[in-house]
């Protein structure tokens, strides 16, 4: 289709804009040449989209609009936000690759790469026009909401929608819309300030240290000068008031005399401000550590991409290798990125890094305040911090000249982003190292099956640490057969006699205990013993979990909750039975069983307040807590030297999940938590309570034999066609109308069948997902297996395009490549 030249005047250009919406394609907008000449790929722009105004990202400059696009319908960019992109060229390349690899939205990935709250938003600003003013004078005193809003606008500056809502309530939106429609008020879209920005405070700087002229200083003024001199001549205004024990007047007098200067400066919000840092301890590497470090250092010297899998048993000293590798990278003028799977792992380790590298270390994770996260991100972008540590989203840290990327506990499922945009932090870290020509080290005591397979096939170089530091023995693990315990007690018990005795013996020696139960709440669910029904979530196909402290039944998926009923909602019976245990019940039982011992719990329910987790972990590390009970949050990465006993309760739950990774996850969890015992000079002991001691995952975890587990598990994977021998894709169809969701699933399945005449793909479903209803949406799932990820993507994309012409609703489908959680 040929367009008339008049439709494309030379003073305008077209740009493609990626929007933070679940669309994989960019959208075409028009922009004046004077603006487009200053735009770059990745710059943020404010654009209209339907009835909304969104912040998008320039994906292509001087674009040729699609042939089927009516240029007269193309909307204009409202405003260019940036003169240059906030994201580095490397991050732009990484997010574009991830969007293609994971069939995700590039706009959503770009938004995820920036700190929360930095995205500029649009606001509608309303201004009264002349006809509106005339009407106000004619109808003065009218009390209808519409006229009160008009009177307000007549007497005030232009006002935005949020302020009108605050003044007049929720009806203001409709009232002002009627005024705009009637031509009495004009509406314009303006750029609102970001929710988070630099913090600024008044500060004082000393200009003259001596020679103050003929007029002598008063005692108060001399105290001000002395206070400034004691800290190098510069401090915050409020700090100076306290240090000199004075008011503002003497400071202002000195400023007028030109002796000091009062000015405004940025103040960085430091997440480790006031934290007790550990003393730096220079350690000597053993032979295994030395070999591993030398291999990594030699690779750093070659300044080329190389991937290592560092498998070290728990307590073998992987952390010291990480720190030395970071130092080697810094010495070569290159920066380092370290990912950890859980926020709970950052408090102690980030303090250790800060003790070693000082302000060169920045921390990025979602438990920081928006201001702290923004300031840490700015320090990295400005080059003031050359080491970044954080959880999965820290893979987008704006570090320049990366030489080293470390992924600790690389096997951990927390690295997978399980909501749009879908990505895996570990795999993005490997790709980022590849883009940067950097060295990537994947560390774990229990590597993922995929990573260990890559090491076995030569894709990764394999390094091993087979012994603990100082020759300390591994903790002795025992499987406690709860079937025998049940027979002896004649009922279910939470703690076996062996575990009770072991806790008492451990405490008597002045040592500490960790108890793991990977389930939150007090009871797993509530059952009516009359009708047999459990009390379920009204939005999800899930039984509600009982939380005793709040006296509530809670859904851990949609947060729906109700007070605990006195009778069964279905049959009105009073015989309600609380079944199963959670960490809350475990804490209560421990307090009764071991009266006098200091007990603390770590899970998502008990650690909601900012800083609470770090405070609890540090208290446990100092010996102020005797027993720490919790979920998997306490199972990995921690280094508590006085813990000599670990007890695992109800380990069998994980083995019963309908997921081919259930055995791998159970083995990893048990091995990791067992590694918390005996890390100091004292021997450790692990008691694993189970009703299924014959299971191979438990047998191999008890002796911490990863290779034996891998050999058995990999045969199962190969026999039944699971990763790493095939590539997995999944499509989840979600809708409030069950038939509608299933219909879309069948349309896509039929289209895939037509693309799969050679049988290259193996298709399963659509069938009900293991959790068939979630957040009031019915869920159907289709699993796709293939030998090639490229072919899987090509055929899936082609099938989706065909299915859309046949009534398939792409909006209700979530596509995941390499899914980790199939629930």
């Amino acid at each position: 289709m040929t367009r008339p030249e008049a439709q494309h005047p030379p003073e305008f250009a077209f740009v493609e804009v990626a929007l933070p919406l679940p669309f994989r394609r960019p959208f075409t907008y028009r922009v004046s040449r004077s603006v487009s000449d200053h735009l770059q790929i990745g710059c943020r722009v404010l654009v209209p989209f339907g009835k909304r105004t969104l912040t998008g990202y320039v994906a292509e400059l001087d674009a040729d609009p699609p042939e089927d696009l009516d240029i007269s319908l193309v909307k204009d960019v409202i405003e260019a936000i940036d003169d240059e992109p906030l994201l580095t060229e490397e991050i732009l390349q990484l997010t574009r690759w991830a969007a293609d690899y994971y069939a995700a939205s590039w706009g959503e990935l770009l938004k995820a790469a920036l700190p929360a709250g930095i995205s500029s938003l649009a606001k509608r600003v309303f201004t009264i026009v002349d006809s509106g003013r005339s009407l106000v004078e004619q109808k003065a005193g009218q009390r209808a909401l519409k006229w009160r809003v008009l009177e307000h606008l007549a007497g005030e500056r232009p006002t935005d929608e949020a302020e009108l809502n605050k003044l007049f309530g929720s009806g203001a939106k409709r009232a002002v819309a009627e005024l705009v429609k009637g031509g009495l008020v004009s509406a314009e879209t303006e750029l609102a300030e970001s929710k988070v920005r630099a913090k600024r405070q008044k500060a004082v700087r000393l200009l003259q240290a001596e020679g103050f002229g003929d007029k002598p200083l008063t005692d108060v003024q001399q105290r001000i000068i002395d206070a400034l001199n004691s800290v190098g001549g510069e401090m915050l205004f409020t700090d100076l008031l306290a240090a000199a024990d004075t008011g503002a007047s003497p400071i202002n007098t000195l400023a007028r005399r030109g002796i000091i200067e009062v000015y405004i400066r940025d103040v960085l919000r430091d997440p480790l401000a006031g934290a007790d840092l550990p003393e730096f301890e220079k350690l000597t590497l053993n032979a295994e550590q030395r070999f591993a470090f030398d291999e990594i250092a030699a690779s750093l010297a070659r300044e080329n991409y190389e991937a290592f899998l560092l498998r070290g048993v728990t307590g073998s000293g992987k952390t010291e290798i990480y720190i030395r590798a970071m130092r080697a990278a810094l010495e070569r003028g290159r920066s380092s990125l370290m990912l950890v799977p859980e926020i709970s792992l950052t408090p102690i380790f980030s303090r250790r890094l800060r003790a070693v590298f000082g302000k060169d270390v920045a921390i990025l994770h979602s438990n920081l305040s928006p201001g702290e996260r923004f300031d840490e991100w700015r320090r990295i972008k400005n080059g003031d911090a050359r080491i970044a540590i954080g959880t999965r989203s820290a893979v987008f840290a704006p570090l320049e000249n990366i030489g080293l990327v470390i992924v600790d506990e690389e096997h951990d499922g927390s690295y997978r982003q399980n909501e749009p945009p879908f990505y895996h932090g570990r795999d993005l870290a490997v790709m980022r190292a590849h883009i940067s020509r950097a060295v990537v080290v994947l560390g774990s005591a229990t590597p993922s099956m995929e990573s260990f397979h890559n090491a076995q096939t030569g894709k990764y170089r394999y390094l091993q640490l087979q012994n603990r530091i100082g020759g300390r023995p591994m903790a002795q693990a025992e499987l406690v057969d709860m079937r025998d315990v049940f027979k002896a007690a004649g009922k279910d018990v939470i703690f076996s006699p062996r575990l009770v005795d072991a806790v008492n013996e451990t405490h008597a020696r002045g040592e500490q205990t960790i108890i793991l139960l990977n389930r939150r709440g007090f009871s797993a669910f509530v059952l009516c013993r009359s009708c047999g029904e459990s009390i379920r979530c009204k939005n999800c196909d899930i039984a509600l979990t009982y939380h005793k402290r709040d006296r509530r039944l809670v859904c851990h998926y949609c947060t729906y909750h109700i007070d605990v009923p006195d009778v069964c909602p279905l049959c009105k019976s009073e015989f309600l039975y609380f079944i199963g245990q959670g960490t809350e019940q475990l804490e209560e039982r421990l307090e009764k069983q071991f009266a006098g011992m200091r007990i603390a719990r770590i899970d998502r329910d008990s650690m909601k307040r900012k800083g609470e987790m770090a405070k609890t972990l540090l208290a446990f590390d100092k010996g102020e807590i005797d027993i720490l009970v919790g979920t998997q949050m306490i199972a990995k990465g921690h280094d508590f030297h006085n813990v000599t006993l670990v007890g695992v309760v109800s380990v069998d739950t994980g083995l019963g999940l309908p997921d081919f990774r259930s055995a791998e996850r159970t083995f990893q969890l048990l091995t990791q938590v067992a590694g918390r015992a005996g890390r100091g000079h004292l021997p450790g002991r692990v008691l694993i309570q189970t009703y299924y001691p014959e299971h191979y995952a438990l047998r191999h975890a008890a002796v911490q034999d990863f290779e034996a587990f891998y050999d058995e598990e990999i045969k199962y994977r190969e026999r039944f066609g699971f990763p790493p021998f095939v590539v997995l894709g999944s499509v989840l169809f979600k809708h409030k109308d069950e038939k509608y969701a299933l219909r879309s699933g069948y349309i896509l399945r039929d289209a895939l069948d037509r693309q799969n005449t050679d049988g290259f793909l193996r298709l399963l479903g659509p069938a009900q997902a293991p959790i068939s209803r979630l957040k009031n949406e019915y869920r159907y799932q289709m699993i796709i297996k293939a030998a090639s990820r490229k072919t899987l993507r090509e055929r899936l994309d082609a099938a989706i395009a065909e299915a859309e012409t046949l009534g398939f609703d792409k909006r209700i489908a979530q596509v995941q490549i390499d899914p980790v959680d199939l629930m």
Side-chain angles (χ1 to χ4, degrees):
M1 168 176 150
T2 306
R3 302 182 180 88
E5 192 62 33
Q7 286 186 297
H8 192 176
E11 65 268 24
F12 288 98
F14 293 97
V15 294
E16 295 292 305
V17 177
L19 296 176
L21 297 170
F23 299 108
R24 291 188 54 211
R25 67 178 182 88
F27 292 84
T28 305
Y29 288 89
R30 193 176 72 158
V31 65
S32 67
R33 284 283 177 190
S34 60
V35 174
S36 70
D37 289 345
H38 296 92
L39 285 176
Q40 299 177 47
I41 303 295
C43 281
R44 295 175 300 161
V45 289
L46 206 61
V47 296
F49 188 82
K51 294 182 179 180
R52 293 183 287 172
T53 303
L54 301 175
T55 300
Y57 309 86
V58 176
E60 185 181 344
L61 295 165
D62 292 321
D64 291 323
E67 287 293 322
D68 59 351
L69 182 66
D70 184 347
I71 292 178
S72 65
L73 299 178
V74 174
K75 296 180 180 179
D76 290 332
V77 169
I78 296 171
E79 188 171 349
I81 299 173
D82 304 317
D83 295 325
E84 58 182 42
L86 293 179
L87 298 168
T88 64
E89 176 59 37
E90 182 184 282
I91 298 298
L92 292 173
Q93 187 178 346
L94 179 67
T95 51
R96 192 188 284 270
W97 175 87
D100 181 63
Y101 183 95
Y102 291 107
S105 158
W106 190 29
E108 287 186 322
L109 280 160
L110 288 169
K111 183 179 180 180
L114 291 168
I118 199 174
S119 294
S120 295
L121 303 173
K123 63 179 181 180
R124 294 187 76 206
V125 177
F126 302 99
T127 306
I128 192 168
V129 300
D130 290 342
S131 59
R133 288 189 185 278
S134 298
L135 199 60
V136 167
E137 294 171 2
Q138 296 172 23
K139 297 196 174 186
Q142 290 277 344
R143 298 319 301 155
L145 179 60
K146 181 168 63 174
W147 302 113
R148 286 192 286 127
V149 171
L150 193 63
E151 284 178 342
H152 171 79
L153 291 173
E156 296 286 339
R157 66 190 187 287
T159 308
D160 64 41
E161 200 169 64
E163 190 172 347
L164 288 176
N165 287 341
K166 190 175 180 181
L167 291 169
F168 299 102
S170 57
K173 183 176 182 179
R174 182 175 179 179
V176 78
E178 291 178 9
L179 293 170
V180 171
K181 188 176 181 180
L184 304 175
V185 169
S186 66
E188 293 185 359
T189 300
E190 292 183 1
L191 194 64
E193 288 187 345
S194 299
K195 292 180 180 178
V196 60
R197 52 189 179 274
K199 181 179 180 180
R200 314 199 77 196
Q201 285 186 355
K202 191 188 293 187
V204 182
R205 180 187 295 125
L206 183 63
L207 299 179
Q208 293 177 240
E210 55 187 23
F212 304 122
D214 298 334
K215 190 174 181 180
L217 298 179
T218 66
D219 290 343
V220 173
Q221 290 172 340
Q222 186 62 54
R223 287 204 307 272
I224 293 169
I225 301 300
D226 292 343
L228 286 167
N229 275 322
S230 68
V231 292
E234 191 172 351
M235 67 194 307
L236 291 175
F237 194 94
T238 52
D239 291 346
L240 182 58
L241 292 176
D245 190 21
T246 183
S249 180
I251 297 175
N252 293 331
T253 300
L254 289 173
R256 286 194 296 271
R257 292 177 63 181
I259 297 173
I260 63 174
E261 176 189 17
V262 179
Y263 65 101
I264 302 296
R265 77 176 190 193
D266 285 355
V267 178
L268 293 175
R269 291 154 285 203
D270 183 358
L272 290 182
D276 292 330
L277 300 181
E279 291 186 13
F280 174 66
E281 183 181 359
K282 190 167 184 179
L283 304 174
T284 301
L285 299 184
N286 61 30
E288 285 184 330
Q289 288 175 303
R290 171 57 61 187
F291 177 81
F293 170 69
D294 287 346
E295 290 293 302
I296 295 169
S299 185
L300 283 167
R302 290 190 286 272
E303 297 194 348
N304 211 340
Y305 166 75
E306 195 159 9
F308 292 89
L309 177 64
L310 176 61
R311 188 180 79 80
V313 299
T314 53
S316 58
K318 295 185 290 294
T319 299
E320 185 63 23
I321 294 173
Y322 298 156
I323 290 173
R324 296 200 183 209
M326 290 177 191
R327 185 181 287 116
L330 286 178
E331 289 170 354
R332 294 189 168 277
R334 304 192 73 179
S335 58
S336 298
L337 169 66
M338 181 172 182
L339 300 185
V340 293
E342 296 273 6
I343 292 170
S344 62
L345 298 183
T346 58
I348 293 173
F349 188 71
S350 55
R351 283 166 169 77
R352 183 172 176 188
L353 283 185
R354 180 66 67 83
V356 176
F357 297 108
K359 290 290 187 177
D360 252 331
V361 176
I363 304 162
L364 291 174
H365 59 72
S366 59
N367 212 30
L368 302 180
S369 71
E372 288 172 338
R373 190 176 176 88
F374 176 65
D375 285 351
E376 291 292 87
W377 183 87
R378 277 199 305 154
R379 289 206 307 120
I380 298 168
K381 184 165 174 54
N382 295 339
D384 297 326
R386 296 184 296 161
I387 295 174
I389 176 175
T391 47
R392 64 172 174 263
S393 61
V395 73
F396 301 118
L399 289 162
E400 296 279 5
N401 193 23
I402 287 184
L404 177 67
V405 177
I406 296 167
V407 184
D408 192 31
E409 310 292 1
E410 66 83 28
H411 66 277
D412 199 284
S414 300
Y415 285 122
R416 177 73 185 194
Q417 171 88 0
N418 283 321
E419 57 187 31
F422 300 104
Y423 66 88
H424 200 298
R426 176 199 61 209
D427 297 342
L428 280 190
V430 172
M431 178 50 62
R432 184 160 189 189
H434 193 276
I435 292 170
S436 306
R437 299 173 65 88
V439 174
V440 59
V441 179
L442 310 179
S444 176
T446 55
S448 67
M449 300 298 289
E450 291 86 349
S451 292
F452 196 73
H453 184 72
N454 285 338
Q456 297 295 95
T457 55
K459 188 174 181 179
Y460 298 158
R461 289 184 61 190
Y462 183 45
L463 300 173
Q464 272 193 93
L465 303 176
Q466 300 185 71
N467 300 289
R468 282 186 160 182
I469 295 173
R472 297 168 192 156
M474 300 296 291
Q476 293 296 311
E478 308 166 41
L479 296 176
V480 180
D481 192 336
M482 294 301 287
R483 295 171 299 189
D484 296 336
V485 175
F486 178 82
K487 289 176 186 176
K491 61 178 181 178
D492 281 323
V493 296
I494 295 180
F495 307 119
S496 65
R498 284 165 68 186
L499 181 56
V500 171
D501 291 344
V503 171
N504 282 319
E505 292 165 5
T506 301
H507 181 65
R509 296 193 299 269
E511 298 158 12
Q512 294 168 290
T513 297
I514 286 177
I515 303 290
L516 172 76
L517 172 59
N518 203 24
R519 189 191 299 120
R520 295 155 57 199
F522 191 87
S523 295
F525 62 96
V526 180
L527 184 75
C528 174
R529 287 187 287 186
S530 293
C531 69
E533 290 291 333
S534 59
I535 302 179
R536 307 183 75 78
C537 176
K538 72 172 186 178
N539 304 315
C540 309
D541 186 26
I542 290 291
L544 295 176
T545 301
Y546 174 46
H547 288 251
K548 185 176 182 180
R549 185 177 65 178
D550 301 326
R551 289 290 300 168
R552 283 181 172 181
L553 297 175
V554 179
C555 175
H556 289 162
Y557 287 88
C558 75
T559 69
Y560 170 75
H561 60 269
I562 59 172
D563 292 336
V564 179
D566 295 321
V567 297
C568 173
L570 296 174
C571 72
K572 307 306 178 185
S573 165
E574 297 179 359
F575 299 105
L576 297 179
Y577 187 46
F578 295 80
I579 296 179
Q581 302 91 34
T583 46
E584 186 184 11
Q585 183 177 164
L586 221 61
E587 180 185 28
E588 182 180 285
R589 294 291 186 93
L590 286 168
E591 288 171 347
K592 291 178 180 177
Q593 184 81 46
F594 305 105
M597 293 192 197
R598 298 164 297 177
I599 298 167
R601 170 167 58 98
I602 287 185
D603 56 29
R604 289 185 198 172
D605 302 312
S606 63
M607 297 289 120
K608 290 180 180 178
R609 286 187 300 175
K610 185 177 182 293
E612 187 69 20
M613 185 180 299
K615 180 181 176 182
T616 304
L617 290 171
L618 290 170
F620 188 62
D621 190 46
K622 293 176 181 177
E624 296 168 3
I625 297 167
D626 299 311
I627 302 175
L628 187 65
V629 58
T631 58
Q632 62 176 344
M633 296 168 75
I634 64 172
K636 48 210 169 189
H638 304 298
D639 189 24
F640 304 122
H641 282 207
N642 196 41
V643 172
T644 58
L645 176 64
V646 168
V648 183
V649 177
S650 192
V651 71
D652 305 314
T653 306
L655 291 173
L657 296 175
D659 191 328
F660 73 91
R661 289 191 173 90
S662 60
E664 178 185 9
R665 287 175 175 149
T666 300
F667 174 84
Q668 289 167 343
L669 180 62
L670 290 177
T671 305
Q672 291 290 333
V673 75
R676 300 316 106 206
R679 296 177 72 91
H681 297 291
L682 302 169
R685 183 183 181 192
V686 183
L687 295 178
I688 302 168
Q689 297 186 169
T690 175
Y691 285 93
Y692 193 7
E694 298 85 6
H695 195 285
Y696 66 96
L698 305 187
R699 285 190 288 103
H700 297 313
V703 293
Q704 301 191 49
D705 190 340
F706 174 80
E707 278 95 348
F709 172 76
Y710 174 83
D711 289 343
E712 197 158 346
E713 177 71 6
I714 203 72
K715 292 173 186 174
Y716 161 78
R717 299 282 184 94
E718 186 172 22
R719 185 182 311 123
F720 292 100
F722 287 115
F725 299 101
V726 300
V727 176
L728 278 188
S730 76
V731 187
L732 185 67
F733 310 94
K734 304 188 300 180
H735 199 267
K736 291 183 179 180
D737 184 335
E738 184 175 10
K739 291 180 180 178
Y740 188 80
L742 190 56
R743 176 178 175 272
S744 284
Y746 277 125
I747 292 172
L748 182 59
R749 169 64 193 253
D750 291 343
L752 273 168
D753 283 335
R754 287 188 288 274
Q755 294 287 331
N756 192 39
T757 53
D758 59 0
F760 183 85
L761 305 180
R762 185 181 175 195
L763 305 174
L764 306 171
Q768 277 192 341
I771 301 176
S772 61
R773 190 166 62 97
L774 204 60
K775 299 179 182 178
N776 216 23
E777 290 183 319
Y778 292 93
R779 308 165 84 245
Y780 283 84
Q781 189 177 56
M782 182 163 57
I783 305 297
I784 309 167
K785 293 183 178 182
S788 160
R789 190 174 287 103
K790 182 174 183 291
T791 306
L792 184 154
R793 283 290 319 286
E794 288 172 351
R795 295 192 181 182
L796 182 57
D797 288 346
I800 289 174
E802 178 190 341
E804 282 190 283
T805 67
L806 301 172
F808 167 65
D809 189 348
K810 187 178 177 181
R811 296 170 301 175
I812 72 166
Q814 282 188 349
V815 176
Q816 287 200 56
I817 305 299
D818 300 340
V820 170
D821 190 350
L822 298 178
M823 299 295 284

